[in-house]
Amino acid sequence: MENNNQYSRRSFLKSSALTGGGFLLSMTWFAKVSAAGKPGEAALMPEWQELNGYIKITPDNVIKLICPNPEFGQNVMTSLPMMVAEELDVDWKNVVVEMGPHDSVKLGPQFTGGSNSIRMYWKPLRTAGASARQMLIEAAAQTWGVPAGEITTKAGVLSHKGGKSAKYGEMAAKAATIPVPKDVKLKSPKDFTIIRNSKKNSEGQKIITGKPLFGMDYKVDGMLIAMIQHPPAFGMKLKSFDASQALKMPGIKDVFTIRLYEEGFEQGGFDTRTFNELLVITGKTTWEVMNARKKLLAQWEPAGDIKETMMGRGGKREVVVPGRLENTGAQLEMMQEYAKKPAQLLRKDGDPETAFKNAAQIIERTYNAPFLAHNCMEPMNFFAHVTDEKALVAGPLQAPGWVEPTLSKLLKLPPEKIEIQMTRMGGGFGRRAYGQYVYEAAMISKHAKAPVKLMYTREDDMTYGIYRPMYTATYRAALDENKNLIGFHVKGGGIPENAIHANRFPAGAVDNYLAEGWEISSNITIGAFRAPRSNFNAAAEQSFLDEVAEAMGKDPIAFRLELLKRSKENPVGKNNEYDAGRYAGVLELVRDKSGWGKPENKGKKRGVAAYFCHNSYAAHIVDMVERDGEPYVESVTSAIDCGIVINPDAAANMVQGAVVDGIGNALYGALTHKNGAAEQTNFNNYRIIRYNEAPKNIDVHFVQNDIDPTGLGEPPFPPVFGAVANALYKSTGKRHYNQPYAGEFPKNS
């Protein structure tokens, strides 16, 4: 990805703000682009007419749609432009898609995470398309001297009943001068022709032909490679170093230390601390820097407790980071002690204490899960070129808007002097929502006074944080003498946060309900991990519900549906987050599509689980088999309610990926620490799912409705854990309370 001719988001001619849609009307601008057409065609310099921040059209009717959100495999580079194209009414084969630069004024929040991309842009992008279409109609009406109401559009062509017609490109220049309409009518779902119809990945050909797309592809002339030698354990810091041997190695430029945050620096809500003092080595190539780094002689010492100032949700607060060197075994023992202490009340309905006191039977189970590493296929990397006057940073990033304020403070540059370009990400899963690696690259470039690309190795990424937290939860159910569920209690904690979602199912379905939570502080850095908290909460809750159903003598799906019926018809409490009808809908769909309970499936070892998170509903039925004495998931049936599905094939692919990811993490995923150091440093000792362990078939079904789209990247992931646990019980006769299920909970000390 040669960047010598990149345009700046602030090199556009001045634009006037639009009302309502969140995009800007611009005059014509020129940029180096590739012509639409066959791969290998020469780059052209067409005149792009910009109708708004998302839409540009050439005179020969090539439609360029700007994708506002970063892409890490969930296919937003196709699905988001599809929403614009639908309302613009163009022929999809004439569309080219380009990743936009960071520009929150022109392009909105630009955040890929929280399963929010489609949901967040559903109306703004459609409004942008409809507004541009109306501007083109008005341009044609003025040109032809006819009423705008007499002009129709179809597949990028304007037509008048009198016989005149024109392609959008012929009217684009004039349309760019038309005032943006303040109110436009959006299509009814019944009239969609692009949305709900599968489109191939807009970057598919670039991916399979190896075109530069990712942060690791990014380069400019004179660029240095930088790597960081971080402390060998959480809770340690640099004492001294000797770089004499490293500096003698071929291609090495410099070795130096810098501090990421100065004393008293106010970190943003999504800034991470990890290690603050950086020992940096720079050189010409990645290979040379990797080899020279091995020659660094560094001495480390305990960091001690650290007080930091954090901003974000809840406002400004002081955080004390403990300095201890942590061990997984000791962490587990500490969690077990905390679980016995009084905890924070999260929700209480009815009189759960009396219900448990009077219960004829109490079922109590405790579930544990370790830290998990993100392990994005593309290790962390970022480019930066910082001068005294301005900064350009570029690379794989989920949340540019969260990074910019901190970057501005660190570099002491106003935001308008900072350019953020986003590349395609080789995986994200929440890891790239946290910008410390961007700040590192920028501060290194500032010190080196040169363009720099910071590179992590796989070992750096796995041992340098951030992780899915370590969790535990105890579930209790009270049954009366007739085996009716009369009380439900969940008490959960974690390092350094708990996973309890107190207002989700089965809250609202049980008269006497209690939820409590507690936390233990840690210096091990954690962050979002594909449905944060939900991926553990669902595993424990859905495993427990199966065990309760068995004690009550009920079918697992029938039991869940009974609870959901109660929640729908006579809900308990007023803060229930979920829609009981939609929740029941995915259970009924997966039951019917899988043939659950049918005589022909009687011999199958099956497990079911369902969960609500990120505004969507997912259910899976897992079929388990044994091969060579080991459990394998043979097939999976999935049902999803995420509202209107934009791109069905891509949506099914996302669910399939979540299923495989969930199976792998449930069976094998675990990261442990000894004296503060991660014991798993690469894939030779951090177990992930392998090709032959993936299901042979994943059958995905979507509930068909006209509800506005909700989340999809994360919701299918959490219930996989519970479905796998429940299938393992059917297959082996053993309940599993500790992740990873394929081995005992790691208790290294």
Side-chain angles (χ1 to χ4, degrees):
M1 185 179 297
E2 296 287 353
N3 191 51
N4 297 336
N5 295 296
Q6 282 279 5
Y7 63 84
S8 163
R9 68 183 167 106
R10 293 180 172 88
S11 69
F12 292 119
L13 296 176
K14 286 194 173 182
S15 305
S16 57
L18 298 182
T19 57
F23 47 87
L24 297 179
L25 179 64
S26 287
M27 297 171 65
T28 302
W29 61 279
F30 297 83
K32 184 177 180 181
V33 295
S34 297
K38 298 177 181 178
E41 283 186 346
L44 302 176
M45 291 283 285
E47 182 178 343
W48 291 101
Q49 303 294 336
E50 184 179 353
L51 272 65
N52 58 53
Y54 303 108
I55 301 167
K56 301 173 178 67
I57 303 176
T58 66
D60 57 352
N61 219 42
V62 176
I63 315 294
K64 179 186 284 186
L65 302 182
I66 305 301
C67 179
N69 272 22
E71 169 71 71
F72 60 60
Q74 75 281 45
N75 215 14
V76 293
M77 283 283 286
T78 305
S79 54
L80 290 178
M82 284 175 67
M83 299 189 315
V84 180
E86 180 67 72
E87 299 291 346
L88 184 58
D89 200 2
V90 295
D91 190 333
W92 184 253
K93 73 174 185 290
N94 292 331
V95 168
V96 294
V97 178
E98 182 178 280
M99 180 65 233
H102 171 52
D103 193 325
S104 58
V105 176
K106 265 181 175 288
L107 299 176
Q110 294 187 277
F111 169 54
T112 296
S115 300
N116 259 328
S117 289
I118 299 296
R119 183 170 179 256
M120 178 169 55
Y121 278 100
W122 173 241
K123 288 188 177 176
L125 285 183
R126 292 171 63 213
T127 300
S131 297
R133 174 178 170 272
Q134 189 59 43
M135 292 158 69
L136 288 160
I137 288 174
E138 187 60 40
Q142 292 181 16
T143 300
W144 296 335
V146 299
E150 294 180 0
I151 296 174
T152 59
T153 62
K154 185 177 181 180
V157 176
L158 297 144
S159 300
H160 182 255
K161 62 182 181 181
K164 292 183 178 180
S165 67
K167 294 180 180 179
Y168 282 0
E170 298 173 59
M171 296 294 173
K174 187 172 183 61
T177 69
I178 300 291
V180 178
K182 294 183 178 180
D183 188 26
V184 291
K185 184 179 180 181
L186 302 180
K187 287 185 179 181
S188 167
K190 66 180 176 59
D191 297 322
F192 289 157
T193 59
I194 294 176
I195 292 173
R196 284 180 161 162
N197 290 281
S198 295
K199 303 298 179 187
K200 296 297 182 184
N201 189 322
S202 63
E203 293 195 302
Q205 188 144 29
K206 295 177 185 176
I207 294 169
I208 63 173
T209 56
K211 300 293 183 184
L213 289 170
F214 300 93
M216 284 197 171
D217 298 322
Y218 199 100
K219 62 181 180 180
V220 301
D221 293 339
M223 180 182 76
L224 297 176
I225 297 296
M227 285 188 170
I228 296 168
Q229 182 65 48
H230 63 264
F234 291 94
M236 300 194 77
K237 66 178 181 179
L238 182 67
K239 180 179 181 181
S240 63
F241 72 95
D242 179 355
S244 57
Q245 294 303 309
L247 288 168
K248 294 177 183 178
M249 298 286 284
I252 299 308
K253 177 74 172 176
D254 199 5
V255 177
F256 53 89
T257 61
I258 58 173
R259 287 180 63 84
L260 196 59
Y261 304 130
E262 293 301 329
E263 191 76 26
F265 185 87
E266 292 185 358
Q267 299 178 41
F270 276 79
D271 295 342
T272 55
R273 52 184 180 270
T274 318
F275 304 110
N276 196 41
E277 187 171 8
L278 310 178
L279 176 55
V280 180
I281 181 167
T282 61
K284 292 182 179 179
T285 68
T286 303
W287 181 246
E288 288 172 325
V289 173
M290 284 176 65
N291 283 317
R293 187 173 63 161
K294 297 173 185 176
K295 299 292 184 179
L296 289 173
L297 298 177
Q299 299 294 319
W300 312 96
E301 62 183 355
D305 292 355
I306 300 170
K307 180 184 286 188
E308 295 188 332
T309 304
M310 302 291 296
M311 300 298 290
R313 290 173 292 184
K316 182 176 177 180
R317 67 192 189 280
E318 296 293 328
V319 176
V320 176
V321 182
R324 61 180 177 264
L325 300 181
E326 303 194 25
N327 297 284
T328 297
Q331 289 170 331
L332 184 59
E333 290 175 5
M334 193 183 304
M335 291 168 73
Q336 291 170 341
E337 288 300 315
Y338 267 70
K340 300 173 185 176
K341 299 177 181 179
Q344 179 187 3
L345 177 64
L346 302 176
R347 174 167 171 158
K348 183 177 180 180
D349 296 327
D351 186 357
E353 293 85 359
T354 299
F356 278 93
K357 181 180 178 181
N358 296 333
Q361 181 181 358
I362 295 176
I363 304 165
E364 179 175 325
R365 301 291 183 265
T366 297
Y367 302 84
N368 299 299
F371 288 106
L372 294 176
H374 287 83
N375 293 326
C376 306
M377 184 59 67
E378 175 193 22
M380 309 308 288
N381 67 89
F382 222 81
F383 169 86
H385 189 189
V386 178
T387 68
D388 292 339
E389 294 79 31
K390 61 182 180 179
L392 167 67
V393 296
L397 179 65
Q398 287 182 231
W402 294 351
V403 165
E404 188 179 65
T406 297
L407 205 53
S408 177
K409 288 196 297 181
L410 285 171
L411 299 178
K412 298 178 173 59
L413 288 172
E416 61 269 19
K417 296 293 185 180
I418 298 173
E419 179 75 17
I420 302 177
Q421 295 284 345
M422 292 166 289
T423 62
R424 188 181 183 91
M425 290 176 269
F429 311 112
R431 174 64 180 92
R432 288 185 160 105
Y434 302 83
Q436 121 271 349
Y437 62 107
V438 184
Y439 311 147
E440 291 170 346
M443 296 298 281
I444 292 169
S445 174
K446 183 177 181 178
H447 182 278
K449 300 185 184 304
V452 166
K453 181 158 69 176
L454 174 65
M455 299 285 288
Y456 282 25
T457 62
R458 176 65 61 196
E459 289 84 357
D460 291 334
D461 199 18
M462 203 174 289
T463 62
Y464 197 14
I466 58 177
Y467 309 119
R468 198 285 303 272
M470 188 174 177
Y471 291 126
T472 187
T474 297
Y475 283 78
R476 301 167 67 226
L479 307 183
D480 66 13
E481 62 277 6
N482 297 317
K483 294 193 177 298
N484 296 311
L485 179 62
I486 59 173
F488 194 93
H489 176 206
V490 56
K491 182 180 181 181
I495 300 175
E497 67 171 20
N498 76 72
I500 304 304
H501 290 277
N503 296 320
R504 293 185 184 170
F505 181 77
V510 184
D511 287 327
N512 304 296
Y513 174 88
L514 178 63
E516 301 174 281
W518 51 266
E519 299 170 350
I520 300 174
S521 61
S522 172
N523 56 38
I524 296 175
T525 318
I526 60 95
F529 185 103
R530 197 169 196 172
R533 299 196 294 157
S534 296
N535 51 54
F536 170 75
N537 203 45
E541 168 204 289
Q542 291 294 305
S543 298
F544 185 66
L545 287 177
D546 251 41
E547 199 157 349
V548 173
E550 184 177 53
M552 297 171 70
K554 295 186 176 182
D555 173 82
I557 294 181
F559 172 56
R560 288 169 171 82
L561 289 174
E562 284 179 17
L563 290 174
L564 288 164
K565 182 179 180 182
R566 164 68 197 281
S567 180
K568 182 178 181 179
E569 296 178 355
N570 188 21
V572 179
K574 298 180 180 179
N575 298 318
N576 304 324
E577 293 182 14
Y578 60 96
D579 181 311
R582 294 180 70 188
Y583 205 133
V586 293
L587 274 166
E588 291 166 344
L589 182 60
V590 79
R591 177 196 62 193
D592 296 344
K593 293 297 184 180
S594 68
W596 178 273
K598 299 281 182 163
E600 61 268 27
N601 294 319
K602 188 176 182 180
K604 292 183 177 180
K605 309 302 181 183
R606 316 189 100 177
V608 65
Y611 198 70
F612 159 80
C613 73
H614 296 84
N615 305 290
S616 291
Y617 303 79
H620 305 292
I621 288 176
V622 162
D623 290 351
M624 186 83 64
V625 297
E626 281 195 18
R627 297 201 300 266
D628 301 322
E630 295 292 328
Y632 291 90
V633 175
E634 182 80 359
S635 63
V636 180
T637 306
S638 303
I640 313 294
D641 183 350
C642 59
I644 293 170
V645 177
I646 309 299
N647 191 355
D649 282 353
N653 291 161
M654 197 181 304
V655 176
Q656 291 162 343
V659 167
V660 174
D661 194 18
I663 293 168
N665 279 287
L667 288 174
Y668 313 117
L671 189 132
T672 60
H673 291 86
K674 185 174 183 179
N675 295 326
E679 295 188 288
Q680 294 75 31
T681 61
N682 209 319
F683 293 135
N684 64 308
N685 54 11
Y686 188 97
R687 184 80 157 80
I688 62 172
I689 193 168
R690 297 178 179 131
Y691 182 81
N692 68 312
E693 294 163 343
K696 293 181 179 179
N697 181 62
I698 303 172
D699 190 19
V700 181
H701 303 273
F702 292 96
V703 174
Q704 300 300 312
N705 57 43
D706 289 340
I707 297 171
D708 286 355
T710 49
L712 186 56
E714 288 158 292
F717 183 65
V720 176
F721 290 76
V724 169
N726 292 331
L728 276 169
Y729 172 67
K730 295 295 185 181
S731 179
T732 66
K734 178 184 176 183
R735 294 281 182 188
H736 288 263
Y737 305 106
N738 303 306
Q739 294 176 27
Y741 302 140
E744 288 299 313
F745 185 92
K747 299 178 183 179
N748 301 349
S749 60

